[in-house]
C-alpha cells in the first residue's frame, strides 16, 4: 500500500509557545518508542516530522491502512500542561486543509495595563503558509485584540523560553529573538536592539541591569551560566559558573541581586537560588520553574511555584516556611494578586481548561470563572482584567481578556 499524507486536526494537538521544547513519546498499540527528536516509529519504520508547535503537517505515514494512534506529549519545561492526544487515522479519512493559522507563544502585560506584548506566528494556508515556529513580536490592546507589530528585524524561535522580562519603569524589556540572541525592546518606539549574540536567555533583573544566560547547547548536561552587566553599550561578563542539570527554561529574578533556576534531580526539579557573584544561597526542594507559573513577592518574601506534582506551593525564601496553596495536581497555569489574597489558576479538564479563583486566607475556592482556556493566566497590573490563550478553532488561537475582581 502506498504511503499517504495525513494531518491531525484537533484542538488537543494545539500547544502554547513552550511546547516546542518537548520530549515526544509516540505510542502505537502497546509499544512505547521515546525519541529525543520528533519522529514516528512503527516497527522498524521511522518517519521524521518537522515539528510545529500547533500542528503536524502532511507527512508520509508508515504503511498501515488503519492504525490507532496515541501521542503522549510530556512537557520538559513548563509551560502549561501534560497533554494526552488520542486519534484514529485511516487511509480512508478525508484530510481537510488548515487555512488560517495563529499561534500564541507568550503574553506579557505592559506595566501600565494599557496592553500586552505577545509573540505570535500568523500564516495563511491558502497562500501556502504553514506554522514554522518563528514568532513575531506584537502589541495587543487591553481587550486582547491585535495591535501593531514591533520593528525587530527578526523573529523569535525556541531557545530556553519565549519569556519577556519587563523593566520596572515599563519602557524596556529583555527577551530572546533571532538565533538565540538577547534583545532589548524599546516599548514606546516598538523597536528592538540586539545586545548579546548566541546566548540562551534565562533571566533578567527588574531594573534591566543584569542578564543571566548560557552559551552552552541545550542538550549539554553541565552548562556554563554567564551573568552580564547591561549598563554599558557593550554588555560585560560579571561572572561565569557551571550548573549541572539546569532546566532548559526561564528562571526567575527575585530581588537584591538574586535569581532562581530550575535544576533536575532524582524526583523531578528543585530551584537553586544564586546571587550575581555566582554563589548559591538556597535550594528549594520539589519545585519547578516554568513560564507564568512562578511568582515572587518582595515584601512577604514568598516564592510561588508548582511542585513536581503540579500543585501550587509557596515558600518563604528567607525563613524556608512552606505551605501548599492549591492542593490539586496538574495545575496548568496560575497567577497571584499583589496582596497575595487571591490565586487564579487553570486546570485542563477533558478537552478544555477551566479557570478558578481561590481566596488564600479563607481557603475558599470560587466556581469556575471561565471554561475555554487553552493556556495561561495573566492578571493585568491593575488586577481588573485576566487574560489567557483562548481556543477559537483548530490552529486559530487568540488572547481573550475577561473582567476580574477580588
Amino acid at each position: 500500500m502506498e504511503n499517504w499524507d495525513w494531518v491531525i486536526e484537533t484542538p488537543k494537538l494545539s500547544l502554547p509557545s513552550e511546547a516546542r521544547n518537548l520530549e515526544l513519546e509516540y505510542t502505537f498499540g502497546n509499544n512505547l518508542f521515546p525519541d529525543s527528536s520528533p519522529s514516528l516509529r512503527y516497527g522498524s519504520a521511522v518517519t521524521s516530522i518537522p515539528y510545529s508547535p500547533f500542528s503536524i503537517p502532511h507527512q508520509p505515514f508508515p504503511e498501515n491502512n488503519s492504525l490507532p494512534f496515541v501521542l503522549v506529549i510530556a512537557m520538559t519545561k513548563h509551560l502549561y500542561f501534560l497533554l494526552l492526544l488520542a486519534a484514529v487515522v485511516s487511509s480512508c479519512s478525508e484530510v481537510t486543509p488548515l487555512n488560517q493559522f495563529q499561534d500564541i507563544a507568550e503574553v506579557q502585560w505592559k506595566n501600565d495595563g494599557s496592553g500586552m506584548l505577545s509573540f505570535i506566528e500568523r500564516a495563511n494556508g491558502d497562500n501556502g503558509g504553514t506554522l514554522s515556529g518563528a514568532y513575531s513580536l506584537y502589541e495587543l490592546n487591553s481587550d486582547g485584540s491585535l495591535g501593531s507589530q514591533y520593528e525587530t528585524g527578526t523573529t523569535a524561535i525556541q531557545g530556553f523560553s519565549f519569556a519577556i522580562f519587563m523593566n520596572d519603569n515599563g519602557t524596556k524589556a529583555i527577551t530572546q529573538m533571532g538565533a538565540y540572541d538577547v534583545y532589548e525592546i524599546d516599548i514606546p518606539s516598538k523597536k528592538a536592539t540586539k545586545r548579546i549574540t548566541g546566548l540562551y536567555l534565562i533571566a533578567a533583573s527588574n531594573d534591566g541591569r543584569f542578564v543571566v544566560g548560557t552559551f552552552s547547547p541545550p542538550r549539554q548536561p553541565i552548562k556554563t551560566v554567564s551573568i552580564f552587566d547591561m549598563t554599558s553599550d557593550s554588555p560585560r561578563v560579571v561572572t561565569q559558573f557551571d550548573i549541572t542539570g539546569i532546566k532548559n527554561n526561564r528562571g526567575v529574578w527575585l530581588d537584591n541581586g538574586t535569581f532562581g533556576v530550575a535544576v533536575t534531580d532524582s524526583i523531578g526539579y528543585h530551584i537553586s537560588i544564586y546571587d550575581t557573584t555566582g554563589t548559591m544561597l538556597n535550594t528549594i526542594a520539589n519545585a519547578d520553574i516554568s513560564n507564568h507559573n512562578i511568582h515572587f513577592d518582595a515584601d512577604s518574601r514568598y516564592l510561588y511555584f508548582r511542585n513536581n506534582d503540579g500543585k501550587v506551593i509557596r515558600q518563604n525564601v528567607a525563613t524556608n516556611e512552606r505551605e501548599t496553596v492549591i492542593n490539586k495536581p496538574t495545575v496548568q497555569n496560575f497567577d497571584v494578586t499583589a496582596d497575595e489574597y487571591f490565586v487564579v489558576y487553570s486546570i485542563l479538564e477533558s478537552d478544555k481548561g477551566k479557570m478558578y479563583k481561590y481566596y488564600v486566607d479563607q481557603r475558599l475556592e470560587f466556581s469556575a470563572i471561565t471554561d475555554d482556556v487553552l493556556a495561561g493566566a495573566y492578571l493585568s497590573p491593575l488586577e481588573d482584567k485576566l487574560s489567557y490563550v483562548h481556543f477559537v478553532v483548530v490552529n486559530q488561537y487568540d488572547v481573550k481578556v475577561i473582567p476580574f475582581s477580588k
Side-chain angles (χ1 to χ4, degrees):
M1 182 178 296
E2 296 291 330
N3 286 348
W4 52 280
D5 285 349
W6 64 284
V7 65
I8 296 175
E9 300 181 36
T10 165
K12 293 292 293 255
L13 185 60
S14 303
L15 301 173
S17 72
E18 269 105 352
R20 295 192 72 248
N21 198 13
L22 305 175
E23 290 178 351
L24 303 183
E25 296 179 349
Y26 300 91
T27 305
F28 293 91
N30 295 319
N31 298 316
L32 186 64
F33 300 94
D35 201 305
S36 59
S37 60
S39 63
L40 287 174
R41 295 189 177 200
Y42 182 65
S44 60
V46 178
T47 301
S48 297
I49 297 176
Y51 179 67
S52 168
F54 281 81
S55 66
I56 297 179
H58 291 73
Q59 293 295 322
F61 194 78
E63 182 177 333
N64 197 319
N65 65 338
S66 182
L67 179 69
F69 172 65
V70 179
L71 170 61
V72 180
I73 301 181
M75 294 286 179
T76 58
K77 34 191 239 127
H78 84 107
L79 164 54
Y80 293 112
F81 48 86
L82 175 68
L83 180 72
L84 173 64
L85 166 69
V88 175
V89 291
S90 167
S91 60
C92 301
S93 300
E94 189 73 24
V95 175
T96 303
L98 303 179
N99 297 324
Q100 302 296 323
F101 305 88
Q102 181 165 286
D103 178 353
I104 309 293
E106 165 68 326
V107 178
Q108 177 65 54
W109 279 95
K110 295 166 65 176
N111 289 10
D112 62 2
S114 63
M116 294 159 278
L117 274 63
S118 180
F119 279 119
I120 300 175
E121 183 180 11
R122 312 184 80 207
N124 188 332
D126 291 335
N127 297 326
T130 59
L131 292 175
S132 62
Y135 299 80
S136 298
L137 185 62
Y138 285 85
E139 184 158 307
L140 301 176
N141 299 315
S142 61
D143 63 356
S145 59
L146 190 66
S148 56
Q149 184 175 342
Y150 277 59
E151 298 176 22
T152 62
T154 186
T155 56
I157 56 179
Q158 182 60 48
F160 272 28
S161 77
F162 286 99
I164 300 172
F165 295 93
M166 298 288 294
N167 287 7
D168 285 334
N169 62 19
T171 63
K172 305 283 186 181
I174 297 292
T175 193
Q176 183 173 285
M177 293 188 295
Y180 311 127
D181 305 321
V182 173
Y183 278 75
E184 183 179 78
I185 308 298
D186 183 76
I187 294 173
S189 68
K190 295 182 173 61
K191 294 183 179 180
T193 302
K194 185 195 293 187
R195 299 299 309 277
I196 305 173
T197 300
L199 186 75
Y200 291 92
L201 178 63
I202 297 175
S205 62
N206 299 335
D207 59 5
R209 179 179 178 182
F210 294 106
V211 161
V212 182
T214 180
F215 294 105
S216 302
R219 292 188 181 184
Q220 186 169 308
I222 303 175
K223 295 182 175 64
T224 299
V225 173
S226 301
I227 301 177
F228 286 85
D229 186 327
M230 307 292 287
T231 54
S232 61
D233 291 338
S234 298
R236 175 180 63 88
V237 175
V238 175
T239 190
Q240 292 180 314
F241 58 99
D242 291 343
I243 300 178
T244 300
I246 187 172
K247 187 180 181 183
N248 293 345
N249 194 11
R250 64 161 292 167
V252 57
W253 197 268
L254 304 175
D255 62 356
N256 300 322
T258 61
F259 62 93
V261 296
V263 180
T264 58
D265 56 31
S266 60
I267 64 169
Y269 298 99
H270 63 267
I271 296 175
S272 295
I273 297 177
Y274 293 85
D275 64 18
T276 53
T277 70
T279 301
M280 190 170 73
L281 305 176
N282 197 1
T283 297
I284 300 177
N286 190 9
D288 193 8
I289 298 176
S290 54
N291 214 19
H292 297 289
N293 281 326
I294 194 79
H295 175 87
F296 176 68
D297 188 279
D299 294 327
S300 70
R301 312 292 295 159
Y302 273 116
L303 180 65
Y304 292 74
F305 54 87
R306 290 187 312 179
N307 68 5
N308 294 309
D309 295 324
K311 298 177 182 179
V312 178
I313 311 293
R314 68 178 182 183
Q315 180 165 327
N316 191 295
V317 299
T319 67
N320 287 328
E321 176 190 356
R322 180 178 177 127
E323 65 177 309
T324 300
V325 180
I326 306 296
N327 193 23
K328 291 184 178 181
T330 65
V331 170
Q332 185 183 13
N333 293 113
F334 74 88
D335 204 352
V336 184
T337 59
D339 57 14
E340 300 181 81
Y341 285 172
F342 292 93
V343 173
V344 290
Y345 69 95
S346 62
I347 290 183
L348 189 68
E349 298 180 356
S350 65
D351 62 341
K352 57 185 176 181
K354 291 185 178 181
M355 191 87 72
Y356 296 90
K357 181 171 66 173
Y358 183 77
Y359 191 0
V360 178
D361 286 350
Q362 300 296 322
R363 301 292 190 267
L364 175 64
E365 182 179 277
F366 295 82
S367 58
I369 54 179
T370 188
D371 64 355
D372 56 357
V373 180
L374 180 64
Y378 321 113
L379 282 169
S380 66
L382 298 179
E383 298 178 349
D384 60 342
K385 297 181 178 70
L386 176 65
S387 62
Y388 55 93
V389 180
H390 164 245
F391 170 76
V392 182
V393 294
V394 174
N395 279 344
Q396 268 286 359
Y397 310 92
D398 62 12
V399 174
K400 189 171 182 177
V401 179
I402 60 175
F404 178 81
S405 61
K406 297 180 183 179

